[in-house]
Amino acid sequence: SSDGAGLDQSVPGCGNLLHLAILFGQRGMAEFLFHDSVYFSKVQSLLLREDSEGRIPFTLACAKGDCDMASFLHDKGKGVLK
């Protein structure tokens, strides 16, 4: 919908849309999610959501060895990630 509803829904066993982008190596999808300034804060809140194994997207990217994605998420998470 036009208000960004549904962006924060989780996929059972996987996590949120950022987790899916990481799991399937889709940096372009992650960039697209952050591209629209209207949804930026809603998407940024996904950075703190845990997957079924308790990992936030940044931690998942690091665990998969995806340094490029981890760097991207770290940059987008300034002020949110600790």
Side-chain angles (χ1 to χ4, degrees), residues 11-27 29 51-53 55 57 60-61 64 66 69:
V11 175
C14 292
N16 62 48
L17 289 174
L18 290 177
H19 289 106
L20 288 174
I22 295 161
L23 288 170
F24 291 99
Q26 297 294 316
R27 173 157 174 182
M29 178 164 62
D51 65 8
S52 59
E53 296 183 28
R55 300 173 296 193
L60 176 60
K64 288 187 56 68
D66 190 342
M69 181 70 88

Side-chain angles (χ1 to χ4, degrees), residues 17-35 43 47 57 61 64-77:
L17 289 174
L18 290 177
H19 289 106
L20 288 174
I22 295 161
L23 288 170
F24 291 99
Q26 297 294 316
R27 173 157 174 182
M29 178 164 62
E31 290 174 351
F32 177 78
L33 290 170
F34 280 103
H35 179 71
V43 174
L47 292 168
K64 288 187 56 68
D66 190 342
C67 297
D68 187 48
M69 181 70 88
S71 178
F72 172 78
L73 295 173
H74 184 264
D75 181 56
K76 295 299 180 185

Side-chain angles (χ1 to χ4, degrees), residues 47-48 56-58 70 73-82:
L47 292 168
L48 299 176
I56 62 172
F58 176 79
L73 295 173
H74 184 264
D75 181 56
K76 295 299 180 185
K78 289 181 180 164
V80 175
L81 296 173
K82 297 177 182 174

